[in-house]
Amino acid sequence: MRLIIDVMSGDADALEAIKGALRAKEELKVDITLVGDEKVVTDALDSLSTKADDSLKIVSSQSVVTMEDDYLVVIKSKKDSSMSVGLNLLKNGEGDAFISTGNTGALVAGASLIVRKIKGIKAAAIGAVIPLGKPMLLIDAGANVNPNAETMRQFAIMGSVYMKKMFDIDSPRVALINNGTEETKGGELQRETYALLKETKGINFIGNMEGRDVVNNVCDVLVADGYTGNIMLKMIEGFGKFMSKTLKSMFKKNLKTIIGALFLKKEAYNLKKSMDYTEYGGAPLLGVLAPVIKAHGNSGEKGVFSACRQAKIFVESGVIGEITELAAALREERKTSQKEVSENE
């Protein structure tokens, strides 16, 4: 298996991404293609006493998609960027998965237009695993701020497949984030989505879920529009950092708390780990024809390594194949429905 890694687009230094890639190469037993400025990559490898070979390739790129760039630059003015070059390598079969820490909008646009969406899927969605002990997938976590109800239904289907395949959950519980549990709650989008999800065969829809229940293991897949989902994700990440900082400060307060910390060291570590988004490393872009992983923008060595681990499992899972089959079934369902409507007119 070969993983293609964009080492230039994130907020962290390219060296950190390369360290994570090298760790993945050794521990996960995968081949790696590093995409970026050739001199930067070569200098980084030299500093780590490592040389490129058949299992560690360098593919040169000339520009970088910044966090401030318009999302379409990856297919327009920056076709020579590390992100665009990496996506084209994936499209051409020169790797099994692509990982980037870069601009989310550009990555979604690039993956959708270069790698291409699965036929029948209206929009690719970011599926972020929420790090609150037991895994829960939040979909969409930022790719689509104005989806329609049918697109939201596809999010639910793709998320259900992902949790079934990746976490071995037989019948993932699917919930719709809303401002109340009643069926009539929310705006037009939420009410229309609820009606569709209730009728959708093959998913275990349990209804609406309020924000306060996110931490209570109420569901396995939480469906949201990208605007709401991204705000939720960033808030949860921020809360995790706050909790870690608070615990650290509390345990260092005085001699009594320092002694107490010694007895609680293992429990405190497990709590911190359960809320650390770098443990999962990256969010899959569901709905495209090949595995694309969006890693956190400031991912260092650990975050990039975890994203590589996520990518390897994703490739082996069969998620894309099952989503492709379900998308084909949805197309047939729509054709049948349209035919019936036409015959009745």
Side-chain angles (χ1 to χ4, degrees), residues 170 197 254 295 332 342 344:
D170 288 336
L197 293 179
N254 53 47
E332 290 303 313
S342 177
N344 290 332

Side-chain angles (χ1 to χ4, degrees), residues 54-83:
D54 288 341
S55 63
L56 180 64
K57 294 181 179 179
I58 301 172
V59 174
S60 182
S61 60
Q62 305 303 314
S63 64
V64 177
V65 174
T66 70
M67 296 299 185
E68 293 75 28
D69 277 336
D70 178 82
Y71 68 98
L72 287 177
V73 297
V74 73
I75 58 167
K76 290 185 175 180
S77 60
K78 291 189 175 181
K79 292 181 180 181
D80 59 355
S81 65
S82 53
M83 186 182 289

Side-chain angles (χ1 to χ4, degrees), residues 39-345:
K39 185 177 188 312
V40 171
V41 176
T42 302
D43 288 349
L45 291 178
D46 287 344
S47 73
L48 298 169
S49 301
T50 304
K51 298 292 183 183
D53 55 27
D54 288 341
S55 63
L56 180 64
K57 294 181 179 179
I58 301 172
V59 174
S60 182
S61 60
Q62 305 303 314
S63 64
V64 177
V65 174
T66 70
M67 296 299 185
E68 293 75 28
D69 277 336
D70 178 82
Y71 68 98
L72 287 177
V73 297
V74 73
I75 58 167
K76 290 185 175 180
S77 60
K78 291 189 175 181
K79 292 181 180 181
D80 59 355
S81 65
S82 53
M83 186 182 289
S84 183
V85 171
L87 287 168
N88 275 287
L89 290 172
L90 181 65
K91 174 190 175 182
N92 296 330
E94 297 180 57
D96 299 289
F98 176 65
I99 299 155
S100 178
T101 59
N103 182 315
T104 300
L107 183 62
V108 172
S112 299
L113 297 171
I114 296 173
V115 181
R116 310 294 291 181
K117 296 194 299 290
I118 293 169
K119 189 175 181 180
I121 295 297
K122 291 181 173 294
I126 296 172
V129 176
I130 301 297
L132 292 172
K134 215 170 177 185
M136 179 186 75
L137 188 77
L138 173 62
I139 182 169
D140 180 23
N144 306 274
V145 297
N146 290 306
N148 60 28
E150 175 58 30
T151 302
M152 294 272 278
R153 178 168 78 141
Q154 292 188 355
F155 293 168
I157 292 169
M158 293 192 293
S160 190
V161 170
Y162 186 83
M163 294 305 284
K164 179 181 176 182
K165 291 284 191 179
M166 294 288 285
F167 293 94
D168 198 28
I169 301 172
D170 288 336
S171 183
R173 299 162 298 170
V174 178
L176 176 66
I177 190 68
N178 211 331
N179 64 339
T181 58
E182 298 87 354
E183 186 173 345
T184 55
K185 287 288 187 176
E188 184 178 351
L189 174 63
Q190 286 72 32
R191 293 193 298 273
E192 289 182 0
T193 301
Y194 189 106
L196 280 178
L197 293 179
K198 193 168 66 168
E199 297 170 359
T200 301
K201 297 176 182 179
I203 65 169
N204 179 17
F205 180 55
I206 62 171
N208 288 326
M209 190 179 90
E210 295 180 298
R212 65 186 176 190
D213 289 322
V214 170
V215 298
N216 293 328
N217 187 31
V218 172
C219 70
D220 304 299
V221 179
L222 182 57
V223 180
D225 62 89
Y227 180 81
T228 304
N230 190 259
I231 289 174
M232 285 186 63
L233 179 64
K234 297 295 174 62
M235 184 177 68
I236 291 167
E237 289 177 355
F239 182 71
K241 291 179 180 179
F242 170 76
M243 283 293 294
S244 178
K245 183 180 178 181
T246 300
L247 282 173
K248 189 175 181 180
S249 176
M250 183 177 70
F251 285 140
K252 289 184 175 182
K253 190 173 182 180
N254 53 47
L255 180 60
K256 183 180 177 180
T257 57
I258 291 172
I259 294 172
L262 295 175
F263 290 99
L264 295 171
K265 185 176 181 180
K266 182 179 179 181
E267 288 75 11
Y269 171 77
N270 288 338
L271 175 61
K272 179 181 177 182
K273 186 176 180 180
S274 72
M275 300 183 73
D276 183 2
Y277 62 83
T278 63
E279 287 295 324
Y280 291 102
L285 191 58
L286 299 177
V288 291
L289 287 167
V292 175
I293 301 290
K294 169 64 177 82
H296 203 283
N298 61 6
S299 292
E301 177 184 343
K302 179 182 177 182
V304 172
F305 167 76
S306 296
C308 290
R309 182 180 60 207
Q310 185 90 338
K312 183 175 187 290
I313 299 170
F314 190 19
V315 171
E316 297 169 341
S317 69
V319 167
I320 292 177
E322 185 158 337
I323 290 175
T324 302
E325 291 177 9
L326 289 172
L330 285 174
R331 291 201 310 275
E332 290 303 313
E333 181 184 303
R334 284 197 295 271
K335 286 180 183 177
T336 301
S337 178
Q338 290 168 357
K339 183 178 179 182
E340 290 174 351
V341 170
S342 177
E343 289 174 349
N344 290 332
E345 288 179 346

